[in-house]
């Protein structure tokens, strides 16, 4: 459900609040143990819905397993994910410096019949084709497979990074012919609307994974971009669906939101997933699920066919408006240009989101450490006044960048 790690040390009351009434009813978990032995069968329970992934024609589960966690030591969770019908597994070479892929590979090595049932994706950083081919070969070795079903170019901010005259298209075509990948796409956390629109004008992108949540679903530009991609048959995978902000707050609005949805039989976090899946053009929601508690709650939300009402959407929209100033919407081009390209502000905002909203401090530091050393060193010396003036959400960018330089090192 949430990409947040809220699994350990839950009291019974907290567990109920996290999973929700619908989640408890559908999981059958032992209330005495938050990570009790999982079910091996789902007899009598609805199957996890599937949707076609654009022009690929592949049917994927509406809930995807995001691999940005310790997959090596969570083999039971991987097994249960498969048992509960999640057939889309996502990872990246950057997750744990390859350890996420290694955990998946360990599972495939021990469960030799599993690979054929799963649609496996991984991601590579953009670079020269020869270096990317070498990196992919290492990914395949860690994953204990001879191919991935979908390969993303990881975290682009502008489609020009991979568009012609660059050779990514030709490179991907060669990988398809070699049988190392079936489909090609990209992931993006920044300038998503423009990236999607530009992809829709190309004819070689199969799938895009992009940040998309209740805060963005009513944005005219986002609606246009999604419709354009859907028209061209580009498969769409949503990530960052909880809409977590850079500053963690326990506001009155958040408490009201949680209480309203509990009355409906699910949590606010489950509601946020359901809001994304209300859009039929979204094939799947990719979520980091590092515990059986979160996994089972997400599965419950995905299985539940109860639609959100208009008042539910109005409540989410009201909450988004009330917390407007705590969330970076990923329009990184604006602040990047305002600081003359001196710092990738939106990428650093994402690190702060991991730190504050997800509670994933090591992950936040890991992603931050991947930024160029010169950028990290000069972060507090940059004048962010123009960026703050240009920011549509009026975020205190200077303050947040100073905070990042202190807590993410």
């Amino acid at each position: 459900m949430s990409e947040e790690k809220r699994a350990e040390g839950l009291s019974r009351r907290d567990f109920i609040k996290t999973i929700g009434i619908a989640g408890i009813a559908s999981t059958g978990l032992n209330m005495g143990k938050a990570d009790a032995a999982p079910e091996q069968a789902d007899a009598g329970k609805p199957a996890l819905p599937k949707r076609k992934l654009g022009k690929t024609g592949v049917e994927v589960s509406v809930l995807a397993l995001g691999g940005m966690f310790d997959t090596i030591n969570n083999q039971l969770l991987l097994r249960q994910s498969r048992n509960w019908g999640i057939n889309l597994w996502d990872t990246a070479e950057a997750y744990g410096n390859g350890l996420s892929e290694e955990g998946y590979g360990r599972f495939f090595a021990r469960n030799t019949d599993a690979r054929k049932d799963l649609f496996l994706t991984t991601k590579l950083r953009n670079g020269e084709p020869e270096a990317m081919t070498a990196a992919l070969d290492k990914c395949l070795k860690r994953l204990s497979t001879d191919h991935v079903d979908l390969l993303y170019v990881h975290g682009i901010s502008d489609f020009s990074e991979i568009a012609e005259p660059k050779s990514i298209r030709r490179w991907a075509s060669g990988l398809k012919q070699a049988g190392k990948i079936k489909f090609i796409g990209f992931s993006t956390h920044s300038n998503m609307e423009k990236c999607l629109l530009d992809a829709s004008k190309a004819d070689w992108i199969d799938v895009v994974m992009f940040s998309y949540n209740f805060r963005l679903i009513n944005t005219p530009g986002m609606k246009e971009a999604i419709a354009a991609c859907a028209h061209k048959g580009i498969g769409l995978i949503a990530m960052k669906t909880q809409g977590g902000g850079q500053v963690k707050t326990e506001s009155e609005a958040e408490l009201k939101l949680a209480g309203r949805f509990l009355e409906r039989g699910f949590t606010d976090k489950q509601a946020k997933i359901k809001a994304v899946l209300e859009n039929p053009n979204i094939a799947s929601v990719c979520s980091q699920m590092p515990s059986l508690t979160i996994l089972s709650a997400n599965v419950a939300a995905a299985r539940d066919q109860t639609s959100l009402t208009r008042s539910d959407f109005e409540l989410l929209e009201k909450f988004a408006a009330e917390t407007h100033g705590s969330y970076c919407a990923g329009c990184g081009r604006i602040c990047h240009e305002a600081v003359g390209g001196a710092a990738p502000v939106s990428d650093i905002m994402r690190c702060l989101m991991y730190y504050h909203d997800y509670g994933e401090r090591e992950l936040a530091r890991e992603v931050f450490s991947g930024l160029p050393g010169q950028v990290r060193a000069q972060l507090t010396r940059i004048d962010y006044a123009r960026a703050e003036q240009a920011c549509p959400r009026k975020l205190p960018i200077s303050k947040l960048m100073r905070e990042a330089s202190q807590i993410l090192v």
Side-chain angles (χ1 to χ4, degrees):
M1 170 191 356
S2 166
E3 291 93 355
E4 298 169 287
K5 186 176 181 181
R6 294 181 176 176
E8 287 74 20
L10 290 178
S11 67
R12 186 179 190 279
R13 180 178 179 182
D14 290 336
F15 182 85
I16 293 173
K17 183 178 179 180
T18 301
I19 281 194
I21 299 169
I24 293 172
S26 70
T27 62
L29 289 178
N30 183 336
M31 288 298 293
K33 296 181 180 179
D35 276 3
E39 305 168 16
Q40 296 303 311
D42 278 345
K45 294 180 181 177
L48 195 64
K50 292 182 179 180
R51 293 180 181 176
K52 282 191 177 180
L53 186 59
K55 61 190 174 186
T56 72
V58 177
E59 289 197 342
V60 296
S61 52
V62 296
L63 180 64
L65 180 66
M68 199 187 294
F69 66 98
D70 182 5
T71 60
I72 291 177
N73 293 308
N74 281 278
Q75 296 288 296
L76 179 64
L77 187 146
L78 300 185
R79 187 180 75 193
Q80 190 58 44
S81 173
R82 181 189 175 210
N83 288 346
W84 276 338
I86 299 178
N87 73 341
L88 174 50
W89 287 20
D90 176 82
T91 185
E93 63 166 350
Y95 297 169
N97 293 317
L99 291 178
S100 171
E101 292 177 327
E102 187 177 326
Y104 280 4
R106 184 173 300 187
F107 182 84
F108 295 143
R110 294 175 178 176
N111 301 271
T112 55
D113 62 333
R115 177 66 186 91
K116 69 181 187 304
D117 299 332
L118 300 172
F119 189 86
L120 180 64
T121 78
T122 196
K123 310 180 193 73
L124 294 176
R125 296 183 180 92
N126 195 14
E128 295 299 321
E130 295 80 8
M132 293 180 72
T133 298
L136 177 60
D137 287 339
K138 292 179 181 178
C139 292
L140 295 177
K141 184 177 181 180
R142 288 191 291 265
L143 288 164
S144 298
T145 187
D146 61 358
H147 75 283
V148 291
D149 298 286
L150 168 62
L151 178 67
Y152 295 108
V153 180
H154 197 177
I156 72 167
S157 298
D158 194 289
F159 191 70
S160 64
E161 297 170 27
I162 60 173
E164 301 298 346
K166 305 217 174 151
S167 52
I168 293 294
R169 178 180 184 172
R170 294 189 297 276
W171 172 75
S173 178
L175 292 178
K176 289 181 179 181
Q177 292 176 9
K180 292 185 178 182
I181 70 171
K182 292 183 179 179
F183 305 106
I184 188 70
F186 63 86
S187 65
T188 176
H189 311 90
S190 180
N191 307 316
M192 295 87 68
E193 297 170 4
K194 186 175 186 302
C195 286
L196 287 166
L197 280 173
D198 288 346
S200 73
K201 298 171 186 175
D203 61 359
W204 58 279
I205 295 296
D206 297 309
V207 181
V208 177
M209 176 185 282
F210 64 110
S211 298
Y212 182 66
N213 53 62
F214 71 97
R215 297 180 184 275
L216 305 174
I217 57 178
N218 293 317
T219 304
M222 183 63 80
K223 288 182 177 180
E224 178 188 0
I226 289 176
C229 283
H231 179 71
K232 289 298 183 70
I234 296 175
L236 299 174
I237 307 291
M239 62 175 170
K240 305 296 184 285
T241 55
Q242 289 299 302
Q246 279 59 48
V247 179
K248 183 61 179 172
T249 61
E250 296 291 342
S251 66
E252 184 67 25
E254 188 172 12
L255 293 174
K256 287 182 179 179
L257 189 75
R260 170 66 178 87
F261 285 117
L262 280 175
E263 291 175 0
R264 296 266 284 126
F266 37 82
T267 68
D268 54 325
K269 295 177 180 59
Q270 288 173 318
K272 290 171 184 177
I273 285 183
K274 291 168 74 65
V276 170
L277 290 175
E278 287 282 344
N279 187 333
N281 294 322
I282 303 299
S284 187
V285 163
C286 187
S287 176
Q288 178 190 347
M289 298 178 282
S291 77
L292 287 172
T293 301
I294 297 175
L295 173 66
S296 51
N298 283 14
V299 168
R303 280 175 170 168
D304 181 18
Q305 297 301 296
T306 304
S307 295
L308 297 184
T309 65
R310 177 176 295 183
S311 62
D312 290 334
F313 277 104
E314 289 174 351
L315 188 62
L316 285 169
E317 188 173 4
K318 180 180 179 182
F319 175 72
E322 290 177 350
T323 58
H324 181 270
S326 67
Y327 176 74
C328 172
C331 43
R333 176 184 55 81
I334 296 174
C335 48
H336 189 73
E337 292 177 356
V339 297
V345 174
S346 64
D347 289 339
I348 298 167
M349 291 289 195
R350 182 158 52 92
C351 294
L352 288 172
M353 178 185 65
Y354 291 148
Y355 188 95
H356 288 300
D357 195 70
Y358 289 19
E360 293 277 10
R361 297 187 173 187
E362 291 308 312
L363 172 61
R365 291 179 177 127
E366 178 183 323
V367 175
F368 185 73
S369 68
L371 299 175
Q374 182 179 0
V375 170
R376 288 181 277 125
Q378 68 178 8
L379 204 57
T380 58
R381 298 196 294 270
I382 299 171
D383 183 357
Y384 297 101
R386 288 187 60 202
E388 291 182 344
Q389 292 173 0
C391 177
R393 292 172 177 262
K394 302 305 177 185
L395 289 168
I397 296 174
S398 180
K399 176 183 176 181
L400 291 169
M401 294 302 102
R402 287 198 306 270
E403 180 185 18
S405 69
Q406 295 169 356
I407 67 175
L408 297 179
V409 294

